[in-house]
């Protein structure tokens, strides 16, 4: 029995050891969760989250963009992201990438090609980049038909009503665009044109917020997460999303309702109604009817005279007299008043709250959407959006989508003209924006200026400390306690400003007493890479 217990203990110990060395995986979880989680995952649909068709979503966003405030806000976002040269108006500039700025022959060849093609492609891109960015943030995607020549490469783009986002359906495989269905209408007949990424340019905004939408289960296979190889994934239509308008659909509807209510009430208050009473006691019925008809005609003529006065007619220059006969205390007119007259002024508070929600959801100051009287003092009239963190954040999203699309366009052009293809991290070109007029770069420039000013002040302080001629320990103490440097940085600076410069002809010495490495002009010939390809 003791031997049996000993062997069992060894087996148990060995099993524990193997379990400790082998981490558990998802396949070791209780299989009862396989059935339970089919109903636990996801969220419920309610009236605030009703799945809509693609046409319903795009129709809503298209109507919203007709609002002048929405239209101006989206245009400002595009302007803040793209900037623009104050003389030429160009927004995108193509320059050689930093990785090809070496001295080799291959680097020089690529630089020359980039400089040559930038003059051709910059004109094409800048002609269409603003509407592409504007449509992308409004619909989540924007498209342009690519026209190419077998010798010249890309020769033009078309972005108009034929490439409107609601008419194009992109198809994706594991998140990569592989083609498009485009609606063609000719002679009242509708057909589908199938285009490849070589024929259609897509600017795809990042899908930050999921938009509930109906899936066509008849032909759509939604099993995509089980494949390790992306080329094994099914080809699915791309879902709608990426628009700046989806989070503000409800605030926009509230603004529309509030504004309509104010407008309707204002118009209703402009309609005046007066109620009169006439004492006709003792008047024969025929005479009473005639008297009433004459009085009604007189009041109707008065309305016509007022309308004539608004048009500049004769009623504006003369006095009209109306005679009403009266016998004793009969036929006396008494005004009851206007029962529709508003006693309290109209309240704009609800409208302004909804407008602030709308502006906050769009990420733009309300003062820049037509409410200039609300502009905060000190921000300036033309460049106030440079101070907005929301503007800067959304500008980065827009520029990311734009650069991805332009890299694809440039790859098509380069491949057709030179027969060369590059990986996404090896492009010899880069796209630059005119930094002075976009929000993200404006903030970056401010940061650089602040760092430069700080460096200048610190350099002046270090120079003054150096002129005192203090020893290394004292200098390091001042740098640590008074200027806030850490120990390592303070020690390096203290050694640098307290070590006397070497005499002419002597080799530079390191702080630890070792000779400094040779300078560039002292490198041996076998280590000189200037002529490397």
């Amino acid at each position: 029995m003791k031997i049996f217990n000993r062997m069992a203990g060894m087996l148990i110990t060995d099993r524990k050891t193997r379990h400790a060395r082998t981490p558990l995986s998802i396949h070791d979880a209780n299989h009862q969760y396989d059935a339970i989680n089919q109903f636990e995952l996801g969220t419920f649909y309610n009236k605030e989250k009703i799945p809509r068709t693609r046409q319903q979503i795009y129709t809503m966003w298209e109507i919203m963009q007709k609002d002048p405030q929405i239209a101006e806000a989206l245009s400002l976002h595009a302007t803040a992201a793209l900037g623009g040269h104050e003389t030429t108006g160009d927004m995108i500039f193509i320059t050689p990438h930093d990785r090809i700025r070496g001295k080799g022959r291959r680097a020089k060849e690529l630089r020359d090609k980039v400089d040559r093609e930038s003059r051709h492609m910059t004109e094409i891109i800048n002609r269409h980049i603003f509407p592409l960015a504007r449509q992308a943030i409004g619909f989540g995607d924007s498209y342009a038909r690519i026209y190419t020549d077998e010798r010249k490469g890309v020769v033009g783009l078309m972005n108009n009503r034929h490439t409107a986002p609601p008419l194009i359906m992109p198809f994706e495989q594991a998140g990569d665009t592989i083609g498009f269905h485009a609606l063609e209408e000719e002679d009242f007949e509708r057909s589908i044109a199938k285009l490849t990424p070589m024929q259609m340019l897509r600017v795809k905004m990042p899908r930050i917020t999921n938009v509930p939408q109906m899936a066509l289960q008849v032909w759509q296979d939604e099993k995509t997460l089980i494949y390790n190889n992306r080329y094994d994934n099914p080809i699915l239509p791309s879902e709608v999303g990426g628009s700046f308008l989806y989070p503000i659909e409800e605030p926009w509807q509230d603004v529309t309702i509030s504004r309509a209510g104010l407008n309707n009430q204002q118009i209703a208050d402009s309609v005046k109604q007066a109620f009169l009473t006439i004492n006709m006691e003792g008047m024969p019925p025929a005479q009473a009817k005639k008297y009433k008809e004459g009085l009604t005609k007189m009041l109707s003529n008065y309305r016509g005279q007022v309308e004539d006065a608004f048009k500049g007619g004769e009623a504006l220059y003369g006095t009209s007299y109306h005679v009403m006969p009266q016998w004793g205390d009969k036929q006396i007119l008494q005004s009851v008043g206007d029962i529709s007259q508003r006693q309290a002024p109209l309240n704009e508070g609800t409208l302004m709250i909804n407008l602030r929600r709308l502006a906050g959801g769009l990420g733009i100051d309300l003062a820049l959407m037509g409410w200039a009287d609300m502009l905060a003092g000190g921000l300036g009239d033309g460049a106030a959006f440079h101070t907005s963190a929301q503007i800067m954040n959304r500008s980065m999203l827009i520029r990311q989508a734009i650069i991805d699309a332009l890299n694809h366009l440039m790859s098509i052009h380069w491949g057709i003209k030179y027969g060369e293809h590059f990986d996404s991290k090896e492009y010899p070109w880069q796209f630059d924006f005119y930094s002075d007029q976009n929000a993200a770069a404006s903030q970056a420039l401010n940061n650089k200026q602040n760092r430069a000013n700080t460096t200048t002040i610190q350099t002046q302080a270090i120079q003054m400390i150096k002129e005192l001629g203090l020893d290394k320990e004292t200098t390091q103490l001042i740098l640590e306690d008074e200027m806030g440097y850490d120990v390592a940085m303070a020690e390096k600076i203290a050694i640098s400003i307290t070590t006397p410069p070497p005499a002419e002809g002597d080799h530079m010495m390191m702080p630890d007493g070792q000779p400094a490495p040779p300078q560039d002009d002292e490198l041996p010939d076998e280590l000189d890479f200037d002529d490397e390809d």
Side-chain angles (χ1 to χ4, degrees):
M1 182 62 68
K2 293 183 178 179
I3 296 176
F4 177 76
N5 292 336
R6 188 179 303 167
M7 294 180 62
M10 292 174 61
L11 292 175
I12 293 174
T13 303
D14 182 65
R15 184 176 64 181
K16 290 182 177 179
T17 303
R18 286 189 286 107
H19 284 184
R21 293 178 179 176
T22 304
L24 298 179
S25 70
I26 188 60
H27 301 288
D28 297 317
N30 193 323
H31 292 288
Q32 292 181 355
Y33 288 113
D34 296 351
I36 296 175
N37 286 338
Q38 296 181 26
F39 307 98
E40 287 293 325
L41 297 178
T43 57
F44 292 109
Y45 290 118
N46 55 31
K47 62 179 182 179
E48 303 295 336
K49 186 188 169 187
I50 301 176
R52 296 174 292 175
T53 64
R54 187 176 186 272
Q55 289 179 322
Q56 289 174 331
I57 297 172
Y58 273 143
T59 300
M60 179 67 177
W61 292 349
E62 189 172 27
I63 294 174
M64 292 175 66
Q65 292 183 64
K66 291 180 61 179
D67 189 310
Q69 294 183 133
I70 299 295
E72 185 62 22
L74 296 181
S75 297
L76 284 177
H77 273 299
T79 301
L82 300 177
H85 194 278
E86 67 272 8
T87 303
T88 63
D90 290 343
M91 300 177 180
I92 302 294
F93 300 88
I94 305 175
T95 58
H97 200 279
D98 295 338
R99 65 174 61 96
I100 64 169
R101 296 186 184 274
K103 298 182 180 179
R105 289 195 303 271
R106 176 59 174 168
K108 184 178 185 305
E109 178 185 353
L110 289 176
R111 287 199 304 272
D112 293 341
K113 290 182 178 179
V114 171
D115 290 336
R116 182 166 56 252
E117 301 308 323
S118 66
R119 292 190 290 270
H120 170 72
M121 292 298 295
T122 299
E123 180 182 359
I124 297 175
I125 291 173
N126 282 294
R127 190 181 303 126
H128 300 280
I129 192 61
F130 188 86
L132 284 173
R134 172 66 171 74
Q135 294 166 15
I137 61 179
F139 291 101
D141 292 288
S142 62
Y143 306 93
R145 183 66 166 87
I146 303 174
Y147 296 102
T148 58
D149 183 88
E150 60 182 8
R151 293 179 300 175
K152 299 180 181 179
V154 175
V155 295
L157 298 174
M158 183 183 72
N159 174 256
N160 53 23
R161 67 180 183 88
H162 298 289
T163 60
L167 304 181
I168 311 294
M169 176 178 286
F171 285 81
E172 297 180 348
Q173 184 180 35
D176 293 337
T177 305
I178 57 94
F180 308 87
H181 277 184
L183 179 64
E184 292 271 27
E185 294 184 288
E186 183 179 0
D187 296 334
F188 303 100
E189 293 186 2
R190 298 161 69 93
S191 61
I192 294 297
K194 297 182 179 181
L195 304 174
T196 68
M198 296 285 292
Q199 300 170 304
M200 183 72 75
L201 178 66
R202 179 190 186 188
V203 180
K204 179 184 177 181
M205 292 296 296
R207 267 45 174 176
I208 298 177
T209 303
N210 180 48
V211 181
Q213 48 200 290
M214 294 182 180
L216 300 179
Q217 300 290 347
V218 177
W219 52 273
Q220 179 171 341
D221 182 4
E222 293 188 348
K223 292 183 178 180
T224 61
L225 301 180
I226 62 176
Y227 303 103
N228 293 326
N229 190 335
R230 68 175 183 176
Y231 299 109
D232 293 335
N233 277 262
I235 297 176
L236 303 176
S238 176
E239 294 186 346
V240 177
S243 172
F244 288 0
L245 301 181
Y246 173 67
I248 62 166
E249 288 182 0
E250 179 187 352
W252 177 78
Q253 290 176 336
D254 293 339
V255 169
T256 303
I257 294 173
S258 300
R259 186 181 66 246
L262 285 176
N263 291 343
N264 293 341
Q265 191 60 58
Q266 186 74 23
I267 295 173
D269 290 347
S270 300
V271 178
K272 302 297 182 181
Q273 300 183 78
F275 296 87
L276 305 175
T277 63
I278 309 174
N279 188 353
M280 294 184 177
E281 182 180 359
M283 183 179 292
Q287 185 179 1
K289 180 180 179 182
K290 186 176 180 180
Y291 187 85
K292 184 178 179 180
E293 290 177 352
L295 181 61
T296 302
K297 182 178 179 180
M298 179 188 68
L299 295 177
S300 299
N301 291 338
Y302 172 73
R303 177 182 177 278
Q305 291 174 1
V306 172
E307 183 178 356
D308 184 57
F310 276 115
K311 297 179 180 180
E314 295 294 332
L316 187 64
Y317 306 101
T319 303
S320 298
Y321 298 95
H322 305 281
V323 179
M324 292 184 295
Q326 178 179 335
W327 293 270
D329 58 349
K330 304 294 189 260
Q331 296 84 44
I332 297 178
L333 293 178
Q334 294 182 353
S335 175
V336 178
D338 188 355
I339 61 175
S340 65
Q341 184 67 36
R342 173 174 295 276
Q343 301 298 326
L346 294 174
N347 184 11
E348 300 178 356
T350 303
L351 174 62
M352 299 311 300
I353 290 176
N354 293 329
L355 280 171
R356 289 186 176 94
R357 289 187 65 212
L358 178 68
L362 276 173
I364 198 168
D365 196 320
L366 188 60
L368 301 176
M369 297 168 54
W371 302 83
D373 58 324
M374 308 177 86
L375 187 65
L379 293 183
D381 288 335
F385 62 84
H386 285 182
T387 65
S388 172
Q390 294 173 308
I391 283 284
M392 183 183 70
N393 176 51
R394 301 195 182 210
S395 295
M396 300 300 291
L397 298 177
I398 298 172
R399 295 173 69 178
Q400 175 186 347
I402 288 293
I403 290 177
D404 289 343
L406 295 184
N407 278 329
H408 175 70
L409 181 66
M410 194 69 178
S411 297
I412 295 175
H413 174 74
W414 198 281
I416 294 176
K417 191 165 186 178
Y418 298 107
E420 296 178 330
H421 300 276
F422 303 94
D423 292 335
S424 58
K425 296 182 179 180
E426 297 179 355
Y427 292 135
W429 60 79
Q430 64 183 15
F431 296 96
D432 298 328
F433 298 83
Y434 196 69
S435 301
D436 292 347
Q437 293 188 16
N438 65 71
S442 177
Q443 185 64 34
L445 288 175
N446 292 336
N447 293 338
K448 290 180 181 179
Q449 292 175 358
N450 294 334
R451 288 197 297 267
N453 294 335
T454 302
T455 302
T456 302
I457 296 174
Q458 292 178 343
T459 303
Q460 294 175 352
I462 292 174
Q463 180 64 30
M464 296 175 63
I465 295 174
K466 181 178 180 180
E467 293 176 355
L468 294 176
L470 304 175
D471 56 15
K472 171 183 171 298
E473 288 74 14
T474 306
T475 301
Q476 181 176 347
L477 184 63
I478 294 176
L479 293 175
E480 292 180 17
D481 294 345
E482 302 301 330
M483 299 188 64
Y485 288 109
D486 57 50
V487 176
M489 179 66 72
E491 182 179 6
K492 289 182 180 180
I493 297 178
I495 293 175
S496 177
I497 65 178
T498 58
T499 301
E504 185 177 356
D506 295 341
H507 287 287
M508 185 77 72
M509 301 297 292
M510 299 296 290
D512 56 0
Q514 298 296 325
Q519 303 299 316
D520 293 341
D521 55 355
E522 300 177 5
L523 288 173
D525 294 339
E526 60 271 15
L527 298 179
D528 192 351
F529 293 98
D530 286 349
D531 296 331
E532 183 186 10
D533 291 344

